[in-house]
Amino acid sequence: MEPRHLADRVWLFPGDPDPGAIRPTVAVVADDRGSVLVDAGNSPAHAREIRAGLAAARLPEPRWLVYTHHHWDHVWGACAWPDVEIVGHEAGVAPLRAEATRPWSHRHLREAVSAEPRLGPSYRARALAVDDWDGFAVLPPTRTFTDELMLPTGVVLRYVGGGHASDSTVVLVPDSRVLLLGDCWYPPPLHERTATDGPDLGLARSLLSEHVEWYVSAHDEPLRRDQARAALGD
């Protein structure tokens, strides 16, 4: 897996275009003081591919791992990133602690889907993502924030919330004019979605700024500001 250079010090490991894979884009903000990794990958295997790509591209090792939110496809790779500080919004701590207590295995996934069929797409993707549960762990943030936090490399974390996840955070790289959106404007996950749920276009519009040139959603191609405005009818 090779990183794709987006702008200045921002690199992307693009997600899987197959929506059934539920494998999001992972971003790296390169810095000699220690890079910032934005989301962990959807599994330890995904994380290991990203680590190998970073090494091959000779990008600095991550010092911080930022969760854009607590959903599995953004955090399940964290246990394969040793020696990083995991940073996330405080609202993500409780759900991740609860997830950490579950007996994750292929058997558990099958039993959960039998009990609640709406979990099928998510849990089938999890089963495909994780081929070996040995050493697997769900890790809550080791450092939390409430509204906004700036890391020593100038990367800014901003809480936005929204319907997709209670802890949704966007990550601004001011000098690169890049805003990493995670899934913040998407509808809730399929197993939680109702007939009236849709993309939060109001939230997306509120993030448009003349100071940002690139908008990166986790499951879509990056958009320049003019493309984002056109897509939102702004």
Side-chain angles (χ1 to χ4, degrees):
M1 180 177 287
E2 296 182 358
R4 167 183 165 188
H5 186 234
L6 180 69
D8 192 25
R9 58 193 181 120
V10 178
W11 299 73
L12 304 178
F13 288 89
D16 193 322
D18 177 3
I22 316 184
R23 191 178 196 183
T25 293
V26 171
V28 176
V29 185
D31 196 292
D32 289 337
R33 293 166 290 183
S35 295
V36 178
L37 182 71
V38 182
D39 287 328
N42 75 349
S43 63
H46 188 195
R48 287 191 291 270
E49 289 180 28
I50 294 166
R51 291 188 69 191
L54 285 173
R58 298 184 178 180
L59 292 172
E61 282 283 321
R63 181 177 170 188
W64 297 273
L65 165 57
V66 173
Y67 289 163
T68 59
H69 61 297
H70 69 274
H71 290 165
W72 75 274
D73 52 318
H74 297 259
V75 305
W76 270 24
C79 56
W81 291 102
D83 305 320
V84 298
E85 182 176 34
I86 303 175
V87 187
H89 189 265
E90 59 183 11
V93 173
L96 285 172
R97 284 179 176 166
E99 289 278 288
T101 66
R102 299 180 66 178
W104 294 107
S105 65
H106 283 84
R107 177 178 179 177
H108 174 67
L109 295 172
R110 289 192 300 270
E111 291 174 346
V113 173
S114 295
E116 176 47 80
R118 293 186 69 190
L119 292 171
S122 170
Y123 277 37
R124 281 191 288 272
R126 300 180 199 216
L128 290 172
V130 183
D131 56 358
D132 183 0
W133 299 95
D134 186 34
F136 175 78
V138 176
L139 301 180
T142 53
R143 180 180 180 185
T144 62
F145 71 101
T146 53
D147 298 314
E148 183 172 300
L149 175 67
M150 178 182 287
L151 296 177
T153 56
V155 173
V156 180
L157 284 55
R158 290 180 179 160
Y159 171 68
V160 295
H164 184 76
S166 60
D167 58 330
S168 277
T169 295
V170 298
V171 180
L172 176 66
V173 191
D175 54 318
S176 301
R177 299 170 68 87
V178 172
L179 188 65
L180 303 160
L181 303 170
D183 295 354
C184 70
W185 62 276
Y186 293 159
L190 279 172
H191 62 279
E192 298 176 358
R193 198 174 301 174
T194 69
T196 60
D197 286 321
D200 191 340
L201 302 184
L203 174 56
R205 290 189 183 98
S206 75
L207 298 172
L208 292 172
S209 168
E210 293 303 316
H211 301 292
V212 174
E213 179 59 27
W214 283 103
Y215 294 85
V216 183
S217 297
H219 298 279
D220 290 283
E221 283 293 311
L223 297 178
R224 288 189 178 272
R225 182 173 60 247
D226 57 345
Q227 295 173 311
R229 289 192 182 280
L232 292 168
D234 192 66

